[in-house]
Amino acid sequence: MTAPRTRALRYGGDYNPEQWPEEVWAEDVELMRRAGVNTATVGVFSWARIEPRPGERDFGWLDRVLDLLHAGGIEVFLATPTASPPPWLGHRFPETLPVDFDGHRLAYGSRNQFCPSSPVYREHALALVTDLARRYADHPALKLWHVGNELGQVCHCDTTAAHFRRWLRARHGTLDELNEAWHTVFWSQRYGSWDEVIPPRRAPYLINPGQRLDFARFCSDTLVESFLAERDVLRRITPDVPVTTNFMGLHPVVDGWALAAHEDVVSHDWYPDPADPESHVLSALSFDLMRSLKRGPWLLMEQAAGAVNWRRRNPPKPAGQLRAQSVQAVARGADAVCFFQWRASRGGAEKFHSGMVPHAGPDSRVFREVEALGADLAALAPVAGAPVVADVAVVLDWENWWAVELDAHPSGDFALLDRVRDCYRPLFELGATVDFVPATASPADLAAYRLVVVPNLYLVRDPEPLRSFVAGGGTVVVGFFSGVVDERDQVFPGGYPGPLRELLGLRVEEVVPLGPDDVLACSSAELGGFTADFWRDDLLVEGAEVVAALDDGTPVVLRHRHGAGAAWYVATRPEEGAAVRLFARVLAEAGVEPAPDRPRGVEVVRRGDVLFLVNHGVDEVSVDVPGAHVDLLTGAGVSGSTTLGRFGVAALVPQAG
Ligand code: GAL
């Protein structure tokens, strides 16, 4: 099964007509047509409406909604409404409600209140999914199944404990193996019977890290399993309809690689922080990750037309930003630009969250921007399905994410995404296009790239792919606090970076996390002088060449020839300018073509034969574009250079002839 084929880019959003009287529905469809909307995601939170009492079914309203959309030419992503069970489920079967780390059972009255291990929840959910799939199997509007919403539930109840024990038996085989893996010899934690083993729960002091890491793996596997349970029902009944579930942005709970492997297409919910002037960099990172998860086009399933309602202060997006952010997603591989939600709610917890149709109605700035965006996306149709090609891969691995952020580490400030961002930021600034890969990528996977950046790899399962990539002529850059533990979270004796020592030509004796005011002065003949902060290693050179060092001679940037390639190690956090110089040097060494110079804040990405330019900055800028092009968005010719105002965008194709 492959992603839904699109002749065009998809445009639309979560459509929740059950919140409105039926008179409004016809106006909805008319406004959707006006805005160029071609897709609606229906039913995400409709469990209570479809099954008002246990076992009852009310599909009449949904029949009418789907028929109306179809008649209006709008295609449907139909959601299984399993993310938010109705009150009757929790009331009748309290064991379906999740229990938190402190042992409190959470109540209904919000959403997401289910234990993913609960057989009772799953039985009710699957019965509903089965009936939904049978009812709409042949509906002509149905184009994609949207399973649940943002899988991410974690539970610590007794049912979960039993499930966890089954999972642990499958992973470790015997209790002796589990005791060994968790190093329970420490603090008298040895388990004598499986019944004694529990999920991590509030305890007097630090909890066994092996137990925590296995629980993180288990929670991820359990959510993938609950996705698969629904997907298998849908597959059986509608084998030709592809299936997705929407990722919750950059979220640690579910291993994105594992979940994406079972989806037909990846979809993503993304809400950049308007107070962060650099939010476009994190957006680019998240979009590149989504494209990488299945190595192809993905769907922006949710974004906000204006304000969200869940930050401390929620200003609307300034005029033009929605367009820039949407085009940015398309440039980085999105084949759909969708929103939460079509019409802003008049009641309920999210009534102050923007919609494509705001409270003010269609005669409003937001709706005019929504209409204009529909026209833009129609003009960008030629890019649908086109690939984005990258020379650089960045390793992002969930097991490592869970492990490196366990507690009682050298620094409680160590956040994996910050480390990834520290590497991604200079690459973005240099205009390098980046894919992500898991730490388990094979040598054949890595062979597609010239440079592999490993912002951090605290937990190393197999160093071989990186070693053979470099031996074969590739370049890698590895960040500090890597090569520390094996997959059981047990330290490699002899010094870090453990199994990467030989590749990197160095040995770390001690790690030194720095305080907020500590600044290191570094000197380097190649990179010039620079400052650094956050971290430093005390390390010994074992064959690597020192590229930069502290004034006392302690190396902070090293380069080691290995086979036909080179392995770099960065033992601190260089200031941004130095990080840009460092990556420029590494890209050049790896043979990656430099991107043309452009003003800061201007993003340049090629997708297929379209060169996208997006100005995220506040000033008007002029960007050099060698050759003659046509802007798909305006139809105008562009030759030599183009001017982009605040949030200005261009989508340039070479001029024919
Ligand atoms: C998403 C969620 C939507 C809505 C949105 C608000 O995480 O899937 O249902 O709550 O956030 O920003």
Side-chain angles (χ1 to χ4, degrees), residues 276-281 318-321 324 425 428 599-603 613-621 644-649:
D276 173 6
E278 298 284 297
S279 70
H280 60 279
V281 180
Q321 192 177 42
R425 180 85 187 78
F428 178 91
R600 191 179 166 97
V602 174
E603 181 173 356
L613 310 178
V614 184
N615 180 15
H616 298 281
V618 293
D619 299 322
E620 181 175 290
V621 291
L644 301 173
R646 184 183 190 196
F647 300 131
V649 295

Side-chain angles (χ1 to χ4, degrees), residues 45 111 149-150 246 269 271 302 310 340 350 353:
F45 294 111
R111 68 174 182 189
N149 194 58
E150 298 189 333
N246 46 341
D269 298 350
Y271 294 92
E302 291 183 21
W310 41 263
F340 176 83
E350 295 188 320
H353 194 290

Side-chain angles (χ1 to χ4, degrees), residues 253 400 427:
V253 174
N400 182 57
L427 290 165

